[in-house]
Amino acid sequence: MANMIPPVKKSLNGSIIIPSDKSVSHRAVMFASLAKGESVIHNFSRGADPISSMEICSALGADIKFSDSNTLIVNGKGLLSKPVNVLNCGNSGTTMRFMCGILAGQTFDSVLMGDESLSKRPMKRVIEPLTLMGANIISDNYHEPIKISGADLHGISYSSKISSAQVKSCLLLAGLNANGLTEYTEPSISRNHSELMLKYMNADIETFGTTNIIRKSVLEPQEIHVIGDISSAAYFIVAANILPNSDIIIRNVGLNATRTGIIDVIKAMGGNIEILDKKIVSNELVGDLRVRYSQLKACTIEGEIIPQLIDELPIISVLATQAEGQTIIKNAEDLKNKETNRITAMVTELKKVGADIVETEDGFIINGKTKLQGDAEINTYFDHRIAMSMYVAGLVCEKSILIKDFEWVNISFPEFEKLFNRLMQ
Ligand code: S3P
């Protein structure tokens, strides 16, 4: 399905409730399936990726049903059972990497596969440390299909070279079922939803700065309210900052400090963003944001903040085209390992609409402020974040753009266009 994005002559006004966090939804359904007893998950995401995790958990013996459109009732048996079929992770790297950690320590064998994009994504980062823990994994040169023979795992002390929440969570999940103690250290802190939820479900886990220590534990079922996704909110935050006269409220946004890099960047660029009304929900911080049109200036984004806004870098590249001066984004080489190479994809597509943007080894250099021309046919590379970022770019283009394969937004954010339309009325 292609989508025509005409330039918006209007501002964004009004308020929206941001839908469920993809990362937290994955964790909620997986952890509840490992627990023994009934968990209730409110505000579960209807994105295709969390649904892939949910279907795999069902195939592994958890009893899972929707009691209404967004509430999941999960009855975990405390033990998983051998799946009948190959487990399909679809487009979801989170599902595949987390499942490697969960399945490596089971008593049965299993096979994980994924779609074309996932088949190209690197799995060495999880297979290597899991093998050190005693896992038996055969892959196609560290790509799917991944054949896992259940094994007795033992804890290790592991220092990762990359700050990846997927790798960290995989090892913590393996450690949950391993003998002895599993210690995991990352160079700087990546999103910590797994640690917070494991604590909330009574796992034996401790956090010391960039190190987590976990011991074998049985998870307790819980009632979990999934927070709104700041990565989804990012498209509205940026759009309101660059569309003149905009003034919006975005409600129920997850404000976990390991995810709020986008807010820091907006502030550093002189953007208008206020946090209203914070509270803790199911061990996570959540709040409402007020965002207004701003005169933006360029900045440099690098170092420890990168893992805290990794999924927002495509939309930040759009933001930077509307900021005065040179924005430099460094240390973001892992963007090449996402659903597509997000550096090449954003540079190619933003150049088509007239942006002054250059690809570097580990990021982008963007000169602004540029009047984007539009009048282009845009590729999404079957990547939801490229589709949504280019949609926002389209709103400030002089002429329409046509985005091909726009339905890929459904991977994380099926409500995306409906919510934009609401704010444009
Ligand atoms: C995720 C972690 C991030 C992010 C992905 C979701 C998670 O990946 O890009 O969309 O839910 O843990 P890395 O931590 O591997 O960078």
Side-chain angles (χ1 to χ4, degrees):
M1 179 192 81
N3 204 355
M4 190 68 129
I5 315 301
V8 174
K9 297 284 174 247
K10 294 181 196 154
S11 50
L12 298 184
N13 292 97
S15 80
I16 52 169
I17 300 175
I18 211 72
S20 174
D21 190 280
K22 174 164 87 70
S23 288
V24 176
S25 291
H26 280 295
R27 286 154 173 85
V29 71
M30 289 189 202
F31 299 0
S33 298
L34 291 172
K36 189 169 184 181
E38 182 174 289
S39 294
V40 180
I41 306 173
H42 302 275
N43 195 31
F44 186 76
S45 166
R46 296 307 292 239
D49 273 8
I51 297 289
S52 293
S53 287
M54 184 194 84
E55 284 170 353
I56 288 182
C57 289
S58 291
L60 291 168
D63 179 6
I64 306 178
K65 48 183 180 300
F66 276 101
S67 68
D68 63 42
S69 62
N70 291 94
T71 308
L72 262 193
I73 311 290
V74 180
N75 269 289
K77 308 213 166 62
L79 265 186
L80 299 179
S81 50
K82 184 173 166 57
V84 178
N85 295 311
V86 168
L87 301 167
N88 188 350
C89 303
N91 191 245
S92 174
T94 308
T95 308
M96 187 168 275
R97 295 192 177 121
F98 279 42
M99 277 297 159
C100 284
I102 290 174
L103 293 168
Q106 301 297 326
T107 53
F108 53 80
D109 301 349
S110 50
V111 182
L112 293 165
M113 48 94 60
D115 71 3
E116 205 190 314
S117 146
L118 190 49
S119 74
K120 297 194 186 104
R121 297 183 65 187
M123 294 298 147
K124 189 173 183 177
R125 52 183 67 193
V126 291
I127 295 177
E128 236 174 33
L130 286 174
T131 305
L132 294 175
M133 294 179 77
N136 279 317
I137 302 180
I138 297 173
S139 64
D140 178 5
N141 197 18
Y142 294 112
H143 292 85
E144 62 92 67
I146 298 178
K147 298 179 184 154
I148 303 175
S149 305
D152 262 339
L153 302 183
H154 52 82
I156 55 168
S157 179
Y158 191 75
S159 269
S160 175
K161 289 196 187 66
I162 50 173
S163 293
S164 158
Q166 294 183 351
V167 177
K168 172 172 63 178
S169 304
C170 167
L171 277 245
L172 294 179
L173 286 164
L176 196 63
N177 200 14
N179 294 314
L181 182 151
T182 301
E183 183 178 328
Y184 182 90
T185 302
E186 54 189 341
S188 67
I189 297 180
S190 62
R191 66 190 68 189
N192 67 357
H193 304 300
S194 294
E195 297 90 301
L196 294 182
M197 198 178 292
L198 286 167
K199 284 171 192 160
Y200 187 59
M201 297 176 82
N202 225 8
D204 185 351
I205 173 170
E206 288 169 288
T207 307
F208 306 94
T210 53
T211 297
N212 277 286
I213 295 178
I214 192 162
R215 295 177 187 79
K216 202 178 201 132
S217 337
V218 177
L219 297 183
E220 283 178 7
Q222 266 292 5
E223 183 161 15
I224 300 167
H225 291 263
V226 180
I227 53 178
D229 199 329
I230 190 166
S231 297
S232 299
Y235 303 99
F236 296 90
I237 295 173
V238 169
N241 261 286
I242 64 179
L243 278 168
N245 301 319
S246 295
D247 186 354
I248 61 171
I249 303 273
I250 314 174
R251 299 197 191 282
N252 194 38
V253 182
L255 295 173
N256 177 316
T258 62
R259 293 283 297 281
T260 47
I262 175 77
I263 297 181
D264 299 338
V265 164
I266 294 279
K267 286 186 176 159
M269 292 175 95
N272 224 316
I273 188 162
E274 275 170 77
I275 299 176
L276 319 164
D277 221 20
K278 288 194 268 189
K279 59 181 182 214
I280 300 276
V281 172
S282 305
N283 223 11
E284 290 278 359
L285 187 64
V286 64
D288 297 342
L289 301 177
R290 180 176 181 197
V291 190
R292 279 175 283 174
Y293 174 69
S294 315
Q295 302 292 337
L296 299 166
K297 56 181 193 304
C299 73
T300 295
I301 305 168
E302 62 184 329
E304 294 195 352
I305 199 171
I306 294 293
Q308 311 191 349
L309 44 61
I310 188 78
D311 290 342
E312 287 64 81
L313 287 171
I315 187 63
I316 288 173
S317 70
V318 175
L319 177 76
T321 68
Q322 301 308 304
E324 214 54 66
Q326 184 167 76
T327 296
I328 303 175
I329 301 174
K330 293 186 203 167
N331 311 125
E333 49 279 271
D334 215 26
L335 277 186
K336 297 177 186 169
N337 295 317
K338 297 296 177 186
E339 284 80 336
T340 189
N341 177 337
R342 287 182 173 162
I343 300 179
T344 308
M346 286 311 296
V347 170
T348 310
E349 301 311 308
L350 278 175
K351 269 191 176 156
K352 281 187 194 170
V353 297
D356 180 350
I357 180 167
V358 179
E359 174 169 357
T360 63
E361 237 171 57
D362 62 350
F364 314 83
I365 298 176
I366 303 145
N367 291 304
K369 176 178 181 174
T370 312
K371 239 187 191 0
L372 300 180
Q373 297 308 317
D375 199 16
E377 203 170 285
I378 301 298
N379 291 319
T380 61
Y381 308 86
F382 314 117
D383 181 327
H384 56 133
R385 301 218 183 272
I386 305 298
M388 293 187 280
S389 300
M390 289 309 299
Y391 177 99
V392 174
L395 299 180
V396 290
C397 282
E398 295 283 292
K399 293 191 182 138
S400 298
I401 60 170
L402 183 84
I403 305 182
K404 294 195 277 179
D405 308 306
F406 193 70
E407 69 277 11
W408 281 84
V409 302
N410 294 333
I411 287 292
S412 62
F413 197 179
E415 309 85 348
F416 177 80
E417 210 179 358
K418 190 180 80 191
L419 292 180
F420 261 105
N421 287 335
R422 190 173 298 164
L423 295 175
M424 287 180 209
Q425 271 164 10

